Amino acid sequence: MGDLTRVGANVQALQSYNSLMKINDRMGDHQYRLATGKRINSAADDTAGYSISKGLEARGKGLSVAMSNVSNAKNIMDVAEGGYQNVMDILHTLKEKATQASDDSLSTDQRTAIANQVTALITEIDDIVSETSFNGSALVDGTYSKTFQTGEGVTDSLSVALNDADSAALGINALNLTTHANATAAMGAIDTAITTLSTAIQEVGDIKSRLSSKETALSISYTNTERSEERRVGK
């Protein structure tokens, strides 16, 4: 009969095996951290640190997308400003033609020729307005009203409404140059249109300045967030 009080086990071998398993686990963790470049790869590594790092990661991604949004918004404003500037160039030409037509030394035929030029230029203004667009949306016909997401927060946005620059909105769609008095009146209408359009261009410039400021702030926030995340997860 055997000795029933004797345990049939090799304790030293089990202890060695357990130690080996622990060493293998630790080596696996270190190798994974080397592969990812991160100290924290799962919640088990550091529960509090993991939670904080994921919040920083989400904020960083939001800031990155917001910077892209701001860049798109600046592109839109550039296109809009280009359309306005083209219209402004034509208004300057119209002012020259109206000033020329107001001279009473001109003959009827000469006035008619100038009037035909003016009509063609006004048509060109309306063509520019209809063709100035971004992603299928007209920009300078008075219908563009959008809200740009300029940050990773819910309330970080910028609402934009662009002014109408067509001939009717500028009050020059029915210029009459047939007489000195009419041509002089047309000069006044064109001056008013130039002032109106100058205000629209100034507003676009103000929007671009705000977007540039937001872009700078986002870039700084993104850099600081990435740095904080690196310190937290040990990148």
Side-chain angles (χ1 to χ4, degrees), residues 71-91:
S71 180
N72 286 337
K74 291 177 68 176
N75 290 338
I76 292 171
M77 292 301 104
D78 285 340
V79 174
E81 184 178 3
Y84 284 143
Q85 293 290 2
N86 288 335
V87 173
M88 181 65 81
D89 290 341
I90 294 177
L91 288 179

Side-chain angles (χ1 to χ4, degrees), residues 68-124:
S68 178
N69 292 346
V70 170
S71 180
N72 286 337
K74 291 177 68 176
N75 290 338
I76 292 171
M77 292 301 104
D78 285 340
V79 174
E81 184 178 3
Y84 284 143
Q85 293 290 2
N86 288 335
V87 173
M88 181 65 81
D89 290 341
I90 294 177
L91 288 179
H92 288 162
T93 302
L94 287 175
K95 179 62 183 295
E96 293 175 2
K97 297 301 178 182
T99 303
Q100 184 181 7
S102 67
D103 186 359
D104 254 346
S105 67
L106 297 178
S107 67
T108 300
D109 288 343
Q110 288 173 322
R111 286 186 187 280
T112 299
I114 294 172
N116 289 339
Q117 286 181 291
V118 166
T119 299
L121 289 170
I122 292 173
T123 299
E124 181 62 22

Side-chain angles (χ1 to χ4, degrees), residues 6-229:
R6 186 174 180 184
V7 178
N10 189 335
V11 176
Q12 290 78 10
L14 290 175
Q15 289 175 335
S16 297
Y17 177 76
N18 288 335
S19 296
L20 179 62
M21 292 297 294
K22 290 179 180 179
I23 291 172
N24 285 337
D25 288 342
R26 292 177 63 184
M27 288 181 63
D29 289 340
H30 288 305
Q31 288 175 343
Y32 189 57
R33 289 171 182 171
L34 286 172
T36 62
K38 298 179 179 180
R39 180 179 64 85
I40 301 175
N41 294 286
S42 69
D45 296 331
D46 181 348
T47 55
Y50 182 83
S51 177
I52 294 172
S53 69
K54 285 303 176 182
L56 290 171
E57 182 181 354
R59 185 167 190 266
K61 289 182 177 180
L63 290 169
S64 178
V65 173
M67 285 193 291
S68 178
N69 292 346
V70 170
S71 180
N72 286 337
K74 291 177 68 176
N75 290 338
I76 292 171
M77 292 301 104
D78 285 340
V79 174
E81 184 178 3
Y84 284 143
Q85 293 290 2
N86 288 335
V87 173
M88 181 65 81
D89 290 341
I90 294 177
L91 288 179
H92 288 162
T93 302
L94 287 175
K95 179 62 183 295
E96 293 175 2
K97 297 301 178 182
T99 303
Q100 184 181 7
S102 67
D103 186 359
D104 254 346
S105 67
L106 297 178
S107 67
T108 300
D109 288 343
Q110 288 173 322
R111 286 186 187 280
T112 299
I114 294 172
N116 289 339
Q117 286 181 291
V118 166
T119 299
L121 289 170
I122 292 173
T123 299
E124 181 62 22
I125 285 177
D126 290 336
D127 286 345
I128 290 171
V129 169
S130 64
E131 293 168 3
T132 303
S133 63
F134 190 94
N135 281 344
S137 297
L139 297 180
V140 295
D141 67 348
T143 63
Y144 194 84
S145 179
K146 304 289 184 180
T147 299
F148 302 129
Q149 187 64 32
T150 57
E152 52 90 26
V154 176
T155 60
D156 295 331
S157 61
L158 177 64
S159 296
V160 171
L162 300 179
N163 294 299
D164 192 348
D166 67 18
S167 60
L170 294 175
I172 57 168
N173 57 319
L175 296 180
N176 186 342
L177 306 178
T178 56
T179 66
H180 166 73
N182 289 338
T184 301
M187 290 171 60
I190 295 168
D191 285 338
T192 300
I194 290 173
T195 300
T196 299
L197 189 58
S198 294
T199 300
I201 295 173
Q202 180 182 350
E203 290 177 1
V204 170
D206 291 340
I207 293 169
K208 289 172 66 175
S209 294
R210 292 182 64 185
L211 289 171
S212 293
S213 296
K214 288 181 181 294
E215 188 173 46
T216 299
L218 286 170
S219 179
I220 293 172
S221 295
Y222 177 75
T223 300
N224 291 337
T225 299
E226 285 293 291
R227 185 178 294 117
S228 296
E229 185 184 358

